Amino acid sequence: MAIIANAEVRSLTEPWSGEINTGKHQLLTDKPESFGGQDKGLAPYDLICSALISCTMITLRMYASHKGIELGEFSVESDFNANREGKEWIERRLSFAQPLSDELKQKVLEISSKTPVTKTLSRSLEIHTVLV
């Protein structure tokens, strides 16, 4: 077994605020003001969405580089959703500055469904991905 990531959070004075340290990087976590926080950093579900879209972007760029494909500039967005019945899912949207062929669109969707973070999250919730 190998550790693939490590992070530590230390509580700050303000309620719900913390400083996350991972490797050489630091960032703040907090809750929005509507939940009694100061909104000084990413909330936990923001971090989940950020992990998913970061992994999607990196994986697609690695795939394109390996295959000699030019994807151009693109963005990835995600929303974490929950309903009253307790079902949770993530909507992920990919948007490309340049048009993609139908074949490449299918490949992008296929690769997105196989990113490491997607696989981890999919073991416990559904992730729906669309091109916009």
Side-chain angles (χ1 to χ4, degrees), residues 70-87:
E70 180 55 49
L71 292 176
E73 289 186 27
F74 65 97
S75 64
V76 187
E77 278 184 90
S78 65
D79 300 316
F80 196 104
N81 298 274
N83 64 18
R84 290 182 180 169
E85 291 77 37
K87 182 175 179 174

mmCIF file with all atom_site columns, all heavy atoms in Angstrom, residues 70-87:
data_model
loop_
_atom_site.group_PDB
_atom_site.id
_atom_site.type_symbol
_atom_site.label_atom_id
_atom_site.label_alt_id
_atom_site.label_comp_id
_atom_site.label_asym_id
_atom_site.label_entity_id
_atom_site.label_seq_id
_atom_site.pdbx_PDB_ins_code
_atom_site.Cartn_x
_atom_site.Cartn_y
_atom_site.Cartn_z
_atom_site.occupancy
_atom_site.B_iso_or_equiv
_atom_site.pdbx_formal_charge
_atom_site.auth_seq_id
_atom_site.auth_comp_id
_atom_site.auth_asym_id
_atom_site.auth_atom_id
_atom_site.pdbx_PDB_model_num
ATOM 1   N N   . GLU A 1 70 ? -4.235  18.015 -29.827 1.00 0.00 ? 70 GLU A N   1
ATOM 2   C CA  . GLU A 1 70 ? -4.315  19.393 -29.316 1.00 0.00 ? 70 GLU A CA  1
ATOM 3   C C   . GLU A 1 70 ? -5.749  19.665 -28.873 1.00 0.00 ? 70 GLU A C   1
ATOM 4   O O   . GLU A 1 70 ? -6.651  19.773 -29.700 1.00 0.00 ? 70 GLU A O   1
ATOM 5   C CB  . GLU A 1 70 ? -3.894  20.379 -30.405 1.00 0.00 ? 70 GLU A CB  1
ATOM 6   C CG  . GLU A 1 70 ? -3.938  21.827 -29.978 1.00 0.00 ? 70 GLU A CG  1
ATOM 7   C CD  . GLU A 1 70 ? -3.129  22.112 -28.714 1.00 0.00 ? 70 GLU A CD  1
ATOM 8   O OE1 . GLU A 1 70 ? -1.960  21.692 -28.643 1.00 0.00 ? 70 GLU A OE1 1
ATOM 9   O OE2 . GLU A 1 70 ? -3.686  22.759 -27.800 1.00 0.00 ? 70 GLU A OE2 1
ATOM 10  N N   . LEU A 1 71 ? -5.946  19.750 -27.568 1.00 0.00 ? 71 LEU A N   1
ATOM 11  C CA  . LEU A 1 71 ? -7.271  20.053 -27.034 1.00 0.00 ? 71 LEU A CA  1
ATOM 12  C C   . LEU A 1 71 ? -7.522  21.549 -26.941 1.00 0.00 ? 71 LEU A C   1
ATOM 13  O O   . LEU A 1 71 ? -8.668  21.977 -26.851 1.00 0.00 ? 71 LEU A O   1
ATOM 14  C CB  . LEU A 1 71 ? -7.447  19.437 -25.641 1.00 0.00 ? 71 LEU A CB  1
ATOM 15  C CG  . LEU A 1 71 ? -7.503  17.922 -25.552 1.00 0.00 ? 71 LEU A CG  1
ATOM 16  C CD1 . LEU A 1 71 ? -7.573  17.480 -24.091 1.00 0.00 ? 71 LEU A CD1 1
ATOM 17  C CD2 . LEU A 1 71 ? -8.684  17.378 -26.333 1.00 0.00 ? 71 LEU A CD2 1
ATOM 18  N N   . GLY A 1 72 ? -6.456  22.343 -26.955 1.00 0.00 ? 72 GLY A N   1
ATOM 19  C CA  . GLY A 1 72 ? -6.606  23.780 -26.785 1.00 0.00 ? 72 GLY A CA  1
ATOM 20  C C   . GLY A 1 72 ? -7.015  24.100 -25.357 1.00 0.00 ? 72 GLY A C   1
ATOM 21  O O   . GLY A 1 72 ? -6.952  23.267 -24.464 1.00 0.00 ? 72 GLY A O   1
ATOM 22  N N   . GLU A 1 73 ? -7.436  25.335 -25.158 1.00 0.00 ? 73 GLU A N   1
ATOM 23  C CA  . GLU A 1 73 ? -7.877  25.741 -23.827 1.00 0.00 ? 73 GLU A CA  1
ATOM 24  C C   . GLU A 1 73 ? -9.237  25.139 -23.527 1.00 0.00 ? 73 GLU A C   1
ATOM 25  O O   . GLU A 1 73 ? -10.102 25.047 -24.402 1.00 0.00 ? 73 GLU A O   1
ATOM 26  C CB  . GLU A 1 73 ? -7.970  27.263 -23.739 1.00 0.00 ? 73 GLU A CB  1
ATOM 27  C CG  . GLU A 1 73 ? -6.620  27.943 -23.739 1.00 0.00 ? 73 GLU A CG  1
ATOM 28  C CD  . GLU A 1 73 ? -6.737  29.436 -23.498 1.00 0.00 ? 73 GLU A CD  1
ATOM 29  O OE1 . GLU A 1 73 ? -7.713  29.870 -22.845 1.00 0.00 ? 73 GLU A OE1 1
ATOM 30  O OE2 . GLU A 1 73 ? -5.853  30.149 -23.967 1.00 0.00 ? 73 GLU A OE2 1
ATOM 31  N N   . PHE A 1 74 ? -9.394  24.724 -22.278 1.00 0.00 ? 74 PHE A N   1
ATOM 32  C CA  . PHE A 1 74 ? -10.686 24.194 -21.855 1.00 0.00 ? 74 PHE A CA  1
ATOM 33  C C   . PHE A 1 74 ? -10.860 24.428 -20.362 1.00 0.00 ? 74 PHE A C   1
ATOM 34  O O   . PHE A 1 74 ? -9.911  24.721 -19.648 1.00 0.00 ? 74 PHE A O   1
ATOM 35  C CB  . PHE A 1 74 ? -10.854 22.716 -22.214 1.00 0.00 ? 74 PHE A CB  1
ATOM 36  C CG  . PHE A 1 74 ? -9.918  21.769 -21.515 1.00 0.00 ? 74 PHE A CG  1
ATOM 37  C CD1 . PHE A 1 74 ? -10.320 21.092 -20.370 1.00 0.00 ? 74 PHE A CD1 1
ATOM 38  C CD2 . PHE A 1 74 ? -8.645  21.523 -22.013 1.00 0.00 ? 74 PHE A CD2 1
ATOM 39  C CE1 . PHE A 1 74 ? -9.467  20.204 -19.735 1.00 0.00 ? 74 PHE A CE1 1
ATOM 40  C CE2 . PHE A 1 74 ? -7.789  20.635 -21.394 1.00 0.00 ? 74 PHE A CE2 1
ATOM 41  C CZ  . PHE A 1 74 ? -8.202  19.967 -20.241 1.00 0.00 ? 74 PHE A CZ  1
ATOM 42  N N   . SER A 1 75 ? -12.097 24.319 -19.922 1.00 0.00 ? 75 SER A N   1
ATOM 43  C CA  . SER A 1 75 ? -12.386 24.462 -18.498 1.00 0.00 ? 75 SER A CA  1
ATOM 44  C C   . SER A 1 75 ? -13.237 23.292 -18.045 1.00 0.00 ? 75 SER A C   1
ATOM 45  O O   . SER A 1 75 ? -13.926 22.646 -18.847 1.00 0.00 ? 75 SER A O   1
ATOM 46  C CB  . SER A 1 75 ? -13.100 25.784 -18.212 1.00 0.00 ? 75 SER A CB  1
ATOM 47  O OG  . SER A 1 75 ? -14.363 25.812 -18.837 1.00 0.00 ? 75 SER A OG  1
ATOM 48  N N   . VAL A 1 76 ? -13.155 23.027 -16.756 1.00 0.00 ? 76 VAL A N   1
ATOM 49  C CA  . VAL A 1 76 ? -13.953 21.970 -16.133 1.00 0.00 ? 76 VAL A CA  1
ATOM 50  C C   . VAL A 1 76 ? -14.605 22.585 -14.899 1.00 0.00 ? 76 VAL A C   1
ATOM 51  O O   . VAL A 1 76 ? -13.935 23.236 -14.108 1.00 0.00 ? 76 VAL A O   1
ATOM 52  C CB  . VAL A 1 76 ? -13.090 20.753 -15.730 1.00 0.00 ? 76 VAL A CB  1
ATOM 53  C CG1 . VAL A 1 76 ? -13.974 19.614 -15.244 1.00 0.00 ? 76 VAL A CG1 1
ATOM 54  C CG2 . VAL A 1 76 ? -12.191 20.292 -16.875 1.00 0.00 ? 76 VAL A CG2 1
ATOM 55  N N   . GLU A 1 77 ? -15.908 22.417 -14.761 1.00 0.00 ? 77 GLU A N   1
ATOM 56  C CA  . GLU A 1 77 ? -16.668 22.914 -13.613 1.00 0.00 ? 77 GLU A CA  1
ATOM 57  C C   . GLU A 1 77 ? -17.392 21.743 -12.981 1.00 0.00 ? 77 GLU A C   1
ATOM 58  O O   . GLU A 1 77 ? -17.691 20.750 -13.646 1.00 0.00 ? 77 GLU A O   1
ATOM 59  C CB  . GLU A 1 77 ? -17.761 23.880 -14.064 1.00 0.00 ? 77 GLU A CB  1
ATOM 60  C CG  . GLU A 1 77 ? -17.354 25.284 -14.319 1.00 0.00 ? 77 GLU A CG  1
ATOM 61  C CD  . GLU A 1 77 ? -18.594 26.098 -14.649 1.00 0.00 ? 77 GLU A CD  1
ATOM 62  O OE1 . GLU A 1 77 ? -19.212 26.643 -13.712 1.00 0.00 ? 77 GLU A OE1 1
ATOM 63  O OE2 . GLU A 1 77 ? -18.941 26.180 -15.842 1.00 0.00 ? 77 GLU A OE2 1
ATOM 64  N N   . SER A 1 78 ? -17.711 21.867 -11.699 1.00 0.00 ? 78 SER A N   1
ATOM 65  C CA  . SER A 1 78 ? -18.518 20.824 -11.075 1.00 0.00 ? 78 SER A CA  1
ATOM 66  C C   . SER A 1 78 ? -19.402 21.414 -9.985  1.00 0.00 ? 78 SER A C   1
ATOM 67  O O   . SER A 1 78 ? -19.074 22.434 -9.385  1.00 0.00 ? 78 SER A O   1
ATOM 68  C CB  . SER A 1 78 ? -17.635 19.718 -10.492 1.00 0.00 ? 78 SER A CB  1
ATOM 69  O OG  . SER A 1 78 ? -16.839 20.198 -9.436  1.00 0.00 ? 78 SER A OG  1
ATOM 70  N N   . ASP A 1 79 ? -20.527 20.753 -9.762  1.00 0.00 ? 79 ASP A N   1
ATOM 71  C CA  . ASP A 1 79 ? -21.465 21.089 -8.697  1.00 0.00 ? 79 ASP A CA  1
ATOM 72  C C   . ASP A 1 79 ? -21.730 19.823 -7.896  1.00 0.00 ? 79 ASP A C   1
ATOM 73  O O   . ASP A 1 79 ? -22.014 18.773 -8.480  1.00 0.00 ? 79 ASP A O   1
ATOM 74  C CB  . ASP A 1 79 ? -22.818 21.575 -9.256  1.00 0.00 ? 79 ASP A CB  1
ATOM 75  C CG  . ASP A 1 79 ? -22.693 22.813 -10.112 1.00 0.00 ? 79 ASP A CG  1
ATOM 76  O OD1 . ASP A 1 79 ? -21.966 23.740 -9.714  1.00 0.00 ? 79 ASP A OD1 1
ATOM 77  O OD2 . ASP A 1 79 ? -23.339 22.847 -11.174 1.00 0.00 ? 79 ASP A OD2 1
ATOM 78  N N   . PHE A 1 80 ? -21.630 19.924 -6.588  1.00 0.00 ? 80 PHE A N   1
ATOM 79  C CA  . PHE A 1 80 ? -22.004 18.810 -5.713  1.00 0.00 ? 80 PHE A CA  1
ATOM 80  C C   . PHE A 1 80 ? -23.467 18.996 -5.354  1.00 0.00 ? 80 PHE A C   1
ATOM 81  O O   . PHE A 1 80 ? -23.856 20.057 -4.877  1.00 0.00 ? 80 PHE A O   1
ATOM 82  C CB  . PHE A 1 80 ? -21.138 18.808 -4.448  1.00 0.00 ? 80 PHE A CB  1
ATOM 83  C CG  . PHE A 1 80 ? -21.192 17.500 -3.702  1.00 0.00 ? 80 PHE A CG  1
ATOM 84  C CD1 . PHE A 1 80 ? -20.129 16.616 -3.782  1.00 0.00 ? 80 PHE A CD1 1
ATOM 85  C CD2 . PHE A 1 80 ? -22.291 17.155 -2.942  1.00 0.00 ? 80 PHE A CD2 1
ATOM 86  C CE1 . PHE A 1 80 ? -20.164 15.404 -3.104  1.00 0.00 ? 80 PHE A CE1 1
ATOM 87  C CE2 . PHE A 1 80 ? -22.340 15.952 -2.266  1.00 0.00 ? 80 PHE A CE2 1
ATOM 88  C CZ  . PHE A 1 80 ? -21.270 15.073 -2.344  1.00 0.00 ? 80 PHE A CZ  1
ATOM 89  N N   . ASN A 1 81 ? -24.297 17.992 -5.608  1.00 0.00 ? 81 ASN A N   1
ATOM 90  C CA  . ASN A 1 81 ? -25.736 18.073 -5.389  1.00 0.00 ? 81 ASN A CA  1
ATOM 91  C C   . ASN A 1 81 ? -26.184 17.043 -4.353  1.00 0.00 ? 81 ASN A C   1
ATOM 92  O O   . ASN A 1 81 ? -25.590 15.975 -4.238  1.00 0.00 ? 81 ASN A O   1
ATOM 93  C CB  . ASN A 1 81 ? -26.498 17.780 -6.694  1.00 0.00 ? 81 ASN A CB  1
ATOM 94  C CG  . ASN A 1 81 ? -26.197 18.787 -7.770  1.00 0.00 ? 81 ASN A CG  1
ATOM 95  O OD1 . ASN A 1 81 ? -26.821 19.822 -7.839  1.00 0.00 ? 81 ASN A OD1 1
ATOM 96  N ND2 . ASN A 1 81 ? -25.217 18.491 -8.614  1.00 0.00 ? 81 ASN A ND2 1
ATOM 97  N N   . ALA A 1 82 ? -27.239 17.367 -3.648  1.00 0.00 ? 82 ALA A N   1
ATOM 98  C CA  . ALA A 1 82 ? -27.883 16.432 -2.727  1.00 0.00 ? 82 ALA A CA  1
ATOM 99  C C   . ALA A 1 82 ? -29.375 16.729 -2.729  1.00 0.00 ? 82 ALA A C   1
ATOM 100 O O   . ALA A 1 82 ? -29.775 17.885 -2.834  1.00 0.00 ? 82 ALA A O   1
ATOM 101 C CB  . ALA A 1 82 ? -27.316 16.577 -1.322  1.00 0.00 ? 82 ALA A CB  1
ATOM 102 N N   . ASN A 1 83 ? -30.185 15.680 -2.622  1.00 0.00 ? 83 ASN A N   1
ATOM 103 C CA  . ASN A 1 83 ? -31.622 15.911 -2.547  1.00 0.00 ? 83 ASN A CA  1
ATOM 104 C C   . ASN A 1 83 ? -32.145 15.517 -1.166  1.00 0.00 ? 83 ASN A C   1
ATOM 105 O O   . ASN A 1 83 ? -31.398 15.043 -0.311  1.00 0.00 ? 83 ASN A O   1
ATOM 106 C CB  . ASN A 1 83 ? -32.369 15.186 -3.677  1.00 0.00 ? 83 ASN A CB  1
ATOM 107 C CG  . ASN A 1 83 ? -32.258 13.677 -3.595  1.00 0.00 ? 83 ASN A CG  1
ATOM 108 O OD1 . ASN A 1 83 ? -31.929 13.104 -2.555  1.00 0.00 ? 83 ASN A OD1 1
ATOM 109 N ND2 . ASN A 1 83 ? -32.543 13.016 -4.703  1.00 0.00 ? 83 ASN A ND2 1
ATOM 110 N N   . ARG A 1 84 ? -33.421 15.730 -0.950  1.00 0.00 ? 84 ARG A N   1
ATOM 111 C CA  . ARG A 1 84 ? -34.032 15.474 0.367   1.00 0.00 ? 84 ARG A CA  1
ATOM 112 C C   . ARG A 1 84 ? -34.017 13.992 0.740   1.00 0.00 ? 84 ARG A C   1
ATOM 113 O O   . ARG A 1 84 ? -34.107 13.650 1.908   1.00 0.00 ? 84 ARG A O   1
ATOM 114 C CB  . ARG A 1 84 ? -35.467 15.990 0.392   1.00 0.00 ? 84 ARG A CB  1
ATOM 115 C CG  . ARG A 1 84 ? -35.519 17.485 0.386   1.00 0.00 ? 84 ARG A CG  1
ATOM 116 C CD  . ARG A 1 84 ? -36.928 17.969 0.459   1.00 0.00 ? 84 ARG A CD  1
ATOM 117 N NE  . ARG A 1 84 ? -36.922 19.433 0.459   1.00 0.00 ? 84 ARG A NE  1
ATOM 118 C CZ  . ARG A 1 84 ? -37.973 20.159 0.316   1.00 0.00 ? 84 ARG A CZ  1
ATOM 119 N NH1 . ARG A 1 84 ? -39.154 19.604 0.158   1.00 0.00 ? 84 ARG A NH1 1
ATOM 120 N NH2 . ARG A 1 84 ? -37.877 21.482 0.327   1.00 0.00 ? 84 ARG A NH2 1
ATOM 121 N N   . GLU A 1 85 ? -33.926 13.132 -0.260  1.00 0.00 ? 85 GLU A N   1
ATOM 122 C CA  . GLU A 1 85 ? -33.897 11.694 0.000   1.00 0.00 ? 85 GLU A CA  1
ATOM 123 C C   . GLU A 1 85 ? -32.497 11.211 0.381   1.00 0.00 ? 85 GLU A C   1
ATOM 124 O O   . GLU A 1 85 ? -32.289 10.036 0.632   1.00 0.00 ? 85 GLU A O   1
ATOM 125 C CB  . GLU A 1 85 ? -34.389 10.912 -1.232  1.00 0.00 ? 85 GLU A CB  1
ATOM 126 C CG  . GLU A 1 85 ? -35.874 11.098 -1.521  1.00 0.00 ? 85 GLU A CG  1
ATOM 127 C CD  . GLU A 1 85 ? -36.189 12.440 -2.173  1.00 0.00 ? 85 GLU A CD  1
ATOM 128 O OE1 . GLU A 1 85 ? -35.387 12.922 -2.998  1.00 0.00 ? 85 GLU A OE1 1
ATOM 129 O OE2 . GLU A 1 85 ? -37.242 13.013 -1.828  1.00 0.00 ? 85 GLU A OE2 1
ATOM 130 N N   . GLY A 1 86 ? -31.538 12.117 0.389   1.00 0.00 ? 86 GLY A N   1
ATOM 131 C CA  . GLY A 1 86 ? -30.176 11.751 0.772   1.00 0.00 ? 86 GLY A CA  1
ATOM 132 C C   . GLY A 1 86 ? -29.292 11.296 -0.376  1.00 0.00 ? 86 GLY A C   1
ATOM 133 O O   . GLY A 1 86 ? -28.149 10.907 -0.156  1.00 0.00 ? 86 GLY A O   1
ATOM 134 N N   . LYS A 1 87 ? -29.802 11.355 -1.603  1.00 0.00 ? 87 LYS A N   1
ATOM 135 C CA  . LYS A 1 87 ? -28.974 10.994 -2.756  1.00 0.00 ? 87 LYS A CA  1
ATOM 136 C C   . LYS A 1 87 ? -28.009 12.137 -3.045  1.00 0.00 ? 87 LYS A C   1
ATOM 137 O O   . LYS A 1 87 ? -28.388 13.306 -2.997  1.00 0.00 ? 87 LYS A O   1
ATOM 138 C CB  . LYS A 1 87 ? -29.838 10.707 -3.975  1.00 0.00 ? 87 LYS A CB  1
ATOM 139 C CG  . LYS A 1 87 ? -29.021 10.278 -5.168  1.00 0.00 ? 87 LYS A CG  1
ATOM 140 C CD  . LYS A 1 87 ? -29.862 9.873  -6.341  1.00 0.00 ? 87 LYS A CD  1
ATOM 141 C CE  . LYS A 1 87 ? -28.939 9.496  -7.481  1.00 0.00 ? 87 LYS A CE  1
ATOM 142 N NZ  . LYS A 1 87 ? -29.628 8.960  -8.611  1.00 0.00 ? 87 LYS A NZ  1
#
